[in-house]
């Protein structure tokens, strides 16, 4: 598993992975709420060979997350 720190790199790699093998690619979203009120968003996309992950504590990425979901849904 590879955590990608740059959103742009993650988005490009996730879309390329889906285009490469759309029938076997899975996309998982996890939200973890901590006791102090901060949340952690973890995105994971895999095709059983390559696994890409992105983790953030910033709410700035929520709009970008929606845009990635829309882009992946349009490719389905």
């Amino acid at each position: 598993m590879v955590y990608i720190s740059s959103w742009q790199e993650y988005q490009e790699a996730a879309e390329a992975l889906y285009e490469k093998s759309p029938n076997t690619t899975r996309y998982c979203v996890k939200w973890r709420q901590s006791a102090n009120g901060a949340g952690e968003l973890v995105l994971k996309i895999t095709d059983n060979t390559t696994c890409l992950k992105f983790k953030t504590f910033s709410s700035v990425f929520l709009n970008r997350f929606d845009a990635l979901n829309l882009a992946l849904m349009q490719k389905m």
Side-chain angles (χ1 to χ4, degrees), residues 25-76:
T25 301
R26 296 184 314 276
Y27 180 54
C28 179
V29 178
K30 290 184 183 178
W31 173 261
R32 296 181 191 148
Q33 188 74 27
S34 64
N36 64 1
E40 174 187 38
L41 177 66
V42 179
L43 307 176
K44 176 180 161 182
I45 188 164
T46 183
D47 67 349
N48 295 331
T49 304
T50 305
C51 182
L52 306 170
K53 293 180 90 175
F54 180 81
K55 177 171 45 173
T56 185
F57 295 96
S58 174
S59 62
V60 172
F61 289 99
L62 292 177
N63 289 338
R64 296 177 188 174
F65 163 65
D66 285 339
L68 176 63
N69 283 341
L70 181 61
L72 290 175
M73 296 274 270
Q74 288 175 342
K75 293 176 191 230
M76 291 182 181

